[in-house]
Amino acid sequence: MGFGEAVCTVLKDKYATFSGRASRSEFWWFQLFYVLCCLAFGVLLFLAGAMQMPAESAQGGFPLPVIAVFIIAGILGLAALVPMIALQVRRLHDRNMSGWWYLGVFVAGFIPFLNFAASIALVVIDVLKGTDGPNKYGPDPLSPYGGAEVFA
């Protein structure tokens, strides 16, 4: 699965799909897309702040372009929250793990010292290869037959 296909799959086809499996390529290509979007909004925010006139800076407050970029980035960030969680759950399913483990990692994120270990464990799980063949969460996403029986 390539970059464009992964982004289209996550945002269009499986926006809020928590069932099934997600391959490593789908997961990591979408993560790259998300990071690039965050960097783009960071650059826009920097440019919007640099456009501030010296007389405006003496008055205090944020200039209108900075507020506009914050609002747009916030709305898009909230819109990306559901597919990011769904993608992580499907990635856990690919490792034959329940999606409820993600809630455990989320809760562990609020416990000092355990948050670092939980996030490292989640990254390691995301890097590992999924189970070969079908598992209890669905067919192998990398299978050329889509999980269909060859001799059926």
Side-chain angles (χ1 to χ4, degrees):
M1 180 175 288
F3 180 79
E5 186 181 359
V7 172
C8 285
T9 300
V10 172
L11 292 179
K12 185 179 173 188
D13 301 334
K14 298 181 179 180
Y15 184 84
T17 304
F18 291 87
S19 61
R21 297 167 64 175
S23 64
R24 284 185 292 181
S25 59
E26 178 183 353
F27 180 81
W28 289 111
W29 280 123
F30 187 75
Q31 295 300 322
L32 176 65
F33 169 76
Y34 187 74
V35 167
L36 290 176
C37 286
C38 289
L39 287 174
F41 276 109
V43 168
L44 283 175
L45 194 60
F46 176 76
L47 292 175
M51 290 180 1
Q52 183 177 1
M53 303 299 276
E56 293 175 2
S57 63
Q59 297 172 353
F62 293 107
L64 188 60
V66 172
I67 294 171
V69 171
F70 264 122
I71 290 172
I72 292 170
I75 291 170
L76 292 177
L78 285 174
L81 185 65
V82 171
M84 290 286 286
I85 294 171
L87 180 63
Q88 181 62 59
V89 168
R90 289 196 317 271
R91 183 70 198 122
L92 288 170
H93 286 174
D94 193 39
R95 292 281 310 143
N96 208 16
M97 298 173 67
S98 172
W100 290 104
W101 280 100
Y102 190 54
L103 179 63
V105 171
F106 180 77
V107 170
F110 292 105
I111 301 171
F113 302 113
L114 188 58
N115 55 4
F116 182 71
S119 54
I120 293 294
L122 192 61
V123 169
V124 168
I125 289 169
D126 291 336
V127 169
L128 292 174
K129 185 176 185 271
T131 56
D132 291 327
N135 64 16
K136 64 182 179 181
Y137 297 103
D140 190 352
L142 300 177
S143 172
Y145 302 108
E149 293 294 327
V150 178
F151 299 109

Short mmCIF file of all heavy atoms in Angstrom, two decimals, residues 85-110:
data_model
loop_
_atom_site.label_atom_id
_atom_site.label_comp_id
_atom_site.label_asym_id
_atom_site.label_seq_id
_atom_site.Cartn_x
_atom_site.Cartn_y
_atom_site.Cartn_z
N ILE A 85 -7.60 7.00 16.04
CA ILE A 85 -7.91 5.97 17.02
C ILE A 85 -8.35 4.69 16.33
O ILE A 85 -7.91 3.59 16.70
CB ILE A 85 -8.99 6.48 18.00
CG1 ILE A 85 -8.45 7.63 18.84
CG2 ILE A 85 -9.47 5.35 18.91
CD1 ILE A 85 -9.49 8.34 19.67
N ALA A 86 -9.19 4.80 15.30
CA ALA A 86 -9.64 3.62 14.57
C ALA A 86 -8.47 2.91 13.90
O ALA A 86 -8.40 1.67 13.90
CB ALA A 86 -10.68 4.02 13.53
N LEU A 87 -7.54 3.66 13.34
CA LEU A 87 -6.36 3.06 12.70
C LEU A 87 -5.51 2.32 13.72
O LEU A 87 -5.03 1.22 13.46
CB LEU A 87 -5.55 4.14 11.99
CG LEU A 87 -4.29 3.68 11.27
CD1 LEU A 87 -4.63 2.72 10.14
CD2 LEU A 87 -3.53 4.89 10.74
N GLN A 88 -5.32 2.90 14.90
CA GLN A 88 -4.53 2.24 15.94
C GLN A 88 -5.22 0.96 16.41
O GLN A 88 -4.55 -0.05 16.63
CB GLN A 88 -4.30 3.18 17.12
CG GLN A 88 -3.47 2.58 18.23
CD GLN A 88 -2.08 2.23 17.77
OE1 GLN A 88 -1.33 3.08 17.32
NE2 GLN A 88 -1.70 0.97 17.89
N VAL A 89 -6.52 0.99 16.55
CA VAL A 89 -7.25 -0.21 16.96
C VAL A 89 -7.11 -1.30 15.90
O VAL A 89 -6.86 -2.47 16.21
CB VAL A 89 -8.73 0.12 17.24
CG1 VAL A 89 -9.57 -1.13 17.37
CG2 VAL A 89 -8.84 0.96 18.50
N ARG A 90 -7.25 -0.92 14.62
CA ARG A 90 -7.08 -1.91 13.55
C ARG A 90 -5.66 -2.44 13.48
O ARG A 90 -5.43 -3.60 13.15
CB ARG A 90 -7.49 -1.31 12.20
CG ARG A 90 -8.97 -1.10 12.06
CD ARG A 90 -9.42 -0.87 10.64
NE ARG A 90 -8.60 0.02 9.86
CZ ARG A 90 -8.74 1.34 9.78
NH1 ARG A 90 -9.70 1.93 10.47
NH2 ARG A 90 -7.95 2.07 9.03
N ARG A 91 -4.68 -1.61 13.83
CA ARG A 91 -3.29 -2.07 13.86
C ARG A 91 -3.10 -3.08 14.99
O ARG A 91 -2.39 -4.07 14.83
CB ARG A 91 -2.34 -0.88 14.03
CG ARG A 91 -0.89 -1.22 13.99
CD ARG A 91 -0.44 -1.65 12.60
NE ARG A 91 0.81 -2.36 12.71
CZ ARG A 91 1.02 -3.59 12.29
NH1 ARG A 91 0.08 -4.25 11.67
NH2 ARG A 91 2.17 -4.17 12.46
N LEU A 92 -3.71 -2.84 16.14
CA LEU A 92 -3.66 -3.82 17.22
C LEU A 92 -4.35 -5.11 16.81
O LEU A 92 -3.88 -6.21 17.14
CB LEU A 92 -4.30 -3.26 18.49
CG LEU A 92 -3.51 -2.18 19.22
CD1 LEU A 92 -4.36 -1.55 20.31
CD2 LEU A 92 -2.24 -2.73 19.80
N HIS A 93 -5.44 -5.01 16.08
CA HIS A 93 -6.13 -6.20 15.58
C HIS A 93 -5.23 -7.00 14.64
O HIS A 93 -5.29 -8.23 14.62
CB HIS A 93 -7.41 -5.83 14.84
CG HIS A 93 -8.51 -5.39 15.74
ND1 HIS A 93 -9.69 -4.90 15.23
CD2 HIS A 93 -8.63 -5.36 17.08
CE1 HIS A 93 -10.50 -4.58 16.25
NE2 HIS A 93 -9.86 -4.85 17.38
N ASP A 94 -4.38 -6.32 13.88
CA ASP A 94 -3.48 -7.02 12.97
C ASP A 94 -2.46 -7.86 13.75
O ASP A 94 -1.99 -8.88 13.26
CB ASP A 94 -2.75 -6.01 12.08
CG ASP A 94 -2.05 -6.68 10.91
OD1 ASP A 94 -2.62 -7.63 10.34
OD2 ASP A 94 -0.94 -6.24 10.57
N ARG A 95 -2.15 -7.44 14.96
CA ARG A 95 -1.25 -8.21 15.83
C ARG A 95 -2.03 -9.22 16.66
O ARG A 95 -1.49 -9.83 17.56
CB ARG A 95 -0.49 -7.28 16.77
CG ARG A 95 0.51 -6.39 16.11
CD ARG A 95 1.80 -7.06 15.76
NE ARG A 95 2.32 -7.78 16.91
CZ ARG A 95 2.94 -8.94 16.82
NH1 ARG A 95 3.14 -9.50 15.68
NH2 ARG A 95 3.38 -9.54 17.90
N ASN A 96 -3.33 -9.38 16.38
CA ASN A 96 -4.22 -10.31 17.08
C ASN A 96 -4.40 -9.91 18.55
O ASN A 96 -4.46 -10.75 19.45
CB ASN A 96 -3.73 -11.76 16.96
CG ASN A 96 -4.86 -12.75 17.05
OD1 ASN A 96 -6.03 -12.39 16.92
ND2 ASN A 96 -4.54 -13.99 17.29
N MET A 97 -4.47 -8.60 18.79
CA MET A 97 -4.70 -8.05 20.12
C MET A 97 -6.01 -7.28 20.11
O MET A 97 -6.41 -6.72 19.09
CB MET A 97 -3.56 -7.09 20.51
CG MET A 97 -2.19 -7.74 20.58
SD MET A 97 -0.90 -6.53 20.85
CE MET A 97 -1.29 -5.96 22.49
N SER A 98 -6.65 -7.25 21.25
CA SER A 98 -7.90 -6.51 21.38
C SER A 98 -7.63 -5.00 21.27
O SER A 98 -6.59 -4.50 21.73
CB SER A 98 -8.55 -6.82 22.72
OG SER A 98 -9.66 -5.97 22.92
N GLY A 99 -8.57 -4.28 20.70
CA GLY A 99 -8.45 -2.83 20.60
C GLY A 99 -8.54 -2.14 21.95
O GLY A 99 -8.15 -0.99 22.09
N TRP A 100 -9.05 -2.85 22.94
CA TRP A 100 -9.15 -2.28 24.29
C TRP A 100 -7.78 -2.05 24.91
O TRP A 100 -7.66 -1.30 25.89
CB TRP A 100 -10.01 -3.16 25.19
CG TRP A 100 -11.46 -3.11 24.80
CD1 TRP A 100 -12.16 -4.07 24.13
CD2 TRP A 100 -12.36 -2.03 25.03
NE1 TRP A 100 -13.46 -3.66 23.92
CE2 TRP A 100 -13.61 -2.40 24.46
CE3 TRP A 100 -12.25 -0.79 25.64
CZ2 TRP A 100 -14.72 -1.57 24.51
CZ3 TRP A 100 -13.37 0.03 25.68
CH2 TRP A 100 -14.57 -0.37 25.12
N TRP A 101 -6.74 -2.66 24.38
CA TRP A 101 -5.39 -2.39 24.87
C TRP A 101 -5.03 -0.92 24.66
O TRP A 101 -4.26 -0.35 25.43
CB TRP A 101 -4.36 -3.28 24.16
CG TRP A 101 -4.31 -4.66 24.72
CD1 TRP A 101 -4.88 -5.78 24.22
CD2 TRP A 101 -3.64 -5.06 25.92
NE1 TRP A 101 -4.62 -6.85 25.02
CE2 TRP A 101 -3.85 -6.44 26.07
CE3 TRP A 101 -2.89 -4.39 26.88
CZ2 TRP A 101 -3.33 -7.15 27.14
CZ3 TRP A 101 -2.37 -5.11 27.94
CH2 TRP A 101 -2.61 -6.47 28.06
N TYR A 102 -5.58 -0.31 23.64
CA TYR A 102 -5.31 1.10 23.38
C TYR A 102 -5.85 1.97 24.51
O TYR A 102 -5.22 2.96 24.89
CB TYR A 102 -5.89 1.52 22.04
CG TYR A 102 -5.45 2.89 21.60
CD1 TYR A 102 -4.11 3.21 21.51
CD2 TYR A 102 -6.38 3.87 21.28
CE1 TYR A 102 -3.70 4.46 21.11
CE2 TYR A 102 -5.99 5.12 20.88
CZ TYR A 102 -4.64 5.41 20.79
OH TYR A 102 -4.24 6.67 20.41
N LEU A 103 -7.01 1.61 25.06
CA LEU A 103 -7.53 2.34 26.21
C LEU A 103 -6.59 2.19 27.41
O LEU A 103 -6.37 3.15 28.14
CB LEU A 103 -8.94 1.84 26.57
CG LEU A 103 -9.60 2.50 27.78
CD1 LEU A 103 -9.82 3.98 27.52
CD2 LEU A 103 -10.90 1.81 28.11
N GLY A 104 -6.04 1.00 27.59
CA GLY A 104 -5.08 0.79 28.66
C GLY A 104 -3.84 1.66 28.50
O GLY A 104 -3.33 2.23 29.47
N VAL A 105 -3.35 1.78 27.28
CA VAL A 105 -2.19 2.63 27.02
C VAL A 105 -2.55 4.09 27.25
O VAL A 105 -1.76 4.86 27.80
CB VAL A 105 -1.66 2.40 25.59
CG1 VAL A 105 -0.61 3.42 25.21
CG2 VAL A 105 -1.12 0.99 25.44
N PHE A 106 -3.77 4.48 26.86
CA PHE A 106 -4.22 5.85 27.07
C PHE A 106 -4.28 6.18 28.56
O PHE A 106 -3.82 7.24 29.00
CB PHE A 106 -5.60 6.05 26.43
CG PHE A 106 -6.16 7.42 26.60
CD1 PHE A 106 -5.69 8.47 25.83
CD2 PHE A 106 -7.15 7.68 27.54
CE1 PHE A 106 -6.21 9.75 25.98
CE2 PHE A 106 -7.67 8.94 27.70
CZ PHE A 106 -7.19 9.98 26.91
N VAL A 107 -4.82 5.27 29.36
CA VAL A 107 -4.90 5.49 30.81
C VAL A 107 -3.50 5.49 31.42
O VAL A 107 -3.18 6.31 32.29
CB VAL A 107 -5.80 4.42 31.47
CG1 VAL A 107 -5.70 4.47 32.98
CG2 VAL A 107 -7.24 4.60 31.02
N ALA A 108 -2.63 4.61 30.94
CA ALA A 108 -1.26 4.56 31.44
C ALA A 108 -0.50 5.84 31.12
O ALA A 108 0.48 6.18 31.80
CB ALA A 108 -0.52 3.36 30.87
N GLY A 109 -0.95 6.57 30.11
CA GLY A 109 -0.32 7.83 29.76
C GLY A 109 -0.44 8.89 30.84
O GLY A 109 0.31 9.86 30.84
N PHE A 110 -1.36 8.72 31.76
CA PHE A 110 -1.54 9.69 32.84
C PHE A 110 -0.76 9.32 34.10
O PHE A 110 -0.78 10.07 35.07
CB PHE A 110 -3.03 9.82 33.19
CG PHE A 110 -3.82 10.46 32.08
CD1 PHE A 110 -4.65 9.70 31.29
CD2 PHE A 110 -3.73 11.82 31.84
CE1 PHE A 110 -5.38 10.28 30.27
CE2 PHE A 110 -4.45 12.41 30.81
CZ PHE A 110 -5.27 11.63 30.03
#
